[in-house]
């Protein structure tokens, strides 16, 4: 996606153009695969895309895809490009933002279980998060790694609410088990939560606030010396 940005905004020309076109085309194909009209990835009955093909901990992949889709949409808009082609069909950039919004909405609670997978958001969210700091009571007693297991295996809700943390997510049937010992459902990860923050930031605001066309790639050196004036 970043290389597509370089091609769209700076047009470095030969010899970069050929390789950048290749990456740009690959990115376009990936963006096509996110759309519901294609069958590259299955979706749950509730609408969550299965980017890891039904394996556990799906949300970390979903939020990063939502971020990239929104970012790519912004890049196309900033380059005055209304959309892109998937085969013979043309799709507007709004389709990418729509994909991102539906996935984030699912995570925030618009799903068959009416459950928010963000701890502390809404009234129905995971209470047994697989997280050492959230599950061990603050009693000024120090525990070693093995000493924390008794807190991991208790059925009591976390004594400390890990506000804002996104857990690993539901299974491919939209099912979720709020069990601390089953990290495939209840573990928050840096990879997932970084993607969540990025997606939420990308989806905030509206088109009246344009993307920042900064000089991120201005240091790309020319292949040949600049000719004299």
């Amino acid at each position: 996606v970043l290389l597509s940005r370089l091609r769209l905004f700076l047009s470095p020309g030969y010899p970069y153009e050929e390789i950048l076109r290749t990456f740009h085309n690959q990115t376009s194909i990936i963006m096509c695969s996110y759309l519901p009209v294609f069958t590259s990835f299955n979706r749950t009955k509730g609408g969550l895309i299965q980017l890891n093909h039904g394996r556990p901990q799906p949300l970390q992949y979903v939020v990063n895809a939502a971020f990239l889709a929104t970012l790519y949409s912004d890049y196309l808009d900033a380059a005055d490009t209304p959309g892109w082609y998937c085969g013979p069909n043309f799709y507007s950039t709004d389709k990418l933002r729509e994909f991102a919004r539906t996935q984030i909405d699912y995570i925030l609670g618009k799903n068959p279980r009416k459950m928010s997978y963000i701890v502390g958001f809404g009234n129905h969210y995971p209470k047994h998060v697989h997280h050492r700091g959230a599950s061990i009571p603050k009693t000024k007693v120090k525990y070693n790694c093995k000493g924390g297991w008794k807190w991991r295996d208790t059925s009591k809700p976390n004594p400390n609410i890990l506000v804002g943390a996104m857990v690993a997510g539901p299974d491919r049937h939209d099912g979720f088990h709020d069990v601390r010992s089953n990290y495939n459902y209840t573990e928050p990860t840096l990879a997932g939560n970084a993607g969540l923050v990025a997606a939420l930031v990308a989806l905030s605001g509206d088109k009246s606030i344009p993307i920042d066309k900064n000089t991120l790639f201005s240091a790309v050196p020319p292949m040949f010396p600049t000719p004299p004036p």
Side-chain angles (χ1 to χ4, degrees):
V1 173
L2 288 172
L3 289 172
S4 289
R5 174 193 174 117
L6 173 59
R7 180 170 185 251
L8 289 167
F9 292 168
L10 292 187
S11 301
Y14 180 85
Y16 295 105
E17 173 63 20
E18 184 175 351
I19 188 65
L20 289 179
R21 185 187 295 113
T22 299
F23 284 119
H24 192 168
N25 291 342
Q26 290 174 348
T27 302
S28 296
I29 292 171
I30 292 172
M31 296 300 154
C32 295
S33 73
Y34 293 160
L35 303 182
V37 296
F38 296 93
T39 57
S40 304
F41 299 102
N42 292 328
R43 282 169 166 76
T44 67
K45 288 184 178 180
L48 184 71
I49 191 170
Q50 299 290 282
L51 293 169
N52 62 337
H53 303 290
R55 291 189 287 272
Q57 305 190 35
L59 296 188
Q60 58 184 313
Y61 305 98
V62 173
V63 291
N64 280 286
F67 164 58
L68 292 175
T70 307
L71 187 66
Y72 191 63
S73 171
D74 286 344
Y75 286 172
L76 292 177
D77 286 339
D80 296 322
T81 305
W84 82 113
Y85 280 95
C86 296
N89 299 317
F90 184 82
Y91 294 92
S92 72
T93 55
D94 290 338
K95 292 295 183 182
L96 287 175
R97 297 185 75 88
E98 181 182 346
F99 157 74
R101 275 193 294 267
T102 59
Q103 299 306 298
I104 296 300
D105 283 347
Y106 180 105
I107 294 169
L108 293 176
K110 195 174 182 180
N111 56 64
R113 296 181 61 87
K114 301 294 187 290
M115 183 171 205
S116 164
Y117 293 107
I118 310 297
V119 177
F121 183 83
N123 298 319
H124 185 36
Y125 56 83
K127 303 295 197 303
H128 302 80
V129 183
H130 184 93
H131 184 276
R132 196 180 303 272
S135 57
I136 299 178
K138 186 178 179 182
T139 58
K140 296 185 180 180
V141 177
K142 291 184 178 181
Y143 298 95
N144 58 27
C145 289
K146 292 183 178 180
W149 286 358
K150 67 177 181 178
W151 305 113
R152 184 199 68 176
D153 297 331
T154 180
S155 59
K156 294 180 180 179
N158 289 41
N160 310 306
I161 300 178
L162 196 63
V163 176
M166 183 185 73
V167 297
D171 57 32
R172 57 191 174 133
H173 304 293
D174 296 305
F176 182 80
H177 300 290
D178 192 6
V179 179
R180 191 178 296 108
S181 59
N182 194 333
Y183 59 87
N184 281 331
Y185 291 102
T186 57
E187 180 182 43
T189 63
L190 291 176
N193 282 269
L196 172 67
V197 171
L200 291 173
V201 170
L203 285 169
S204 65
D206 55 47
K207 289 186 177 181
S208 65
I209 304 174
I211 192 170
D212 177 20
K213 296 183 181 180
N214 60 34
T215 55
L216 179 62
F217 294 107
S218 61
V220 176
M223 182 64 72
F224 303 103
T226 303

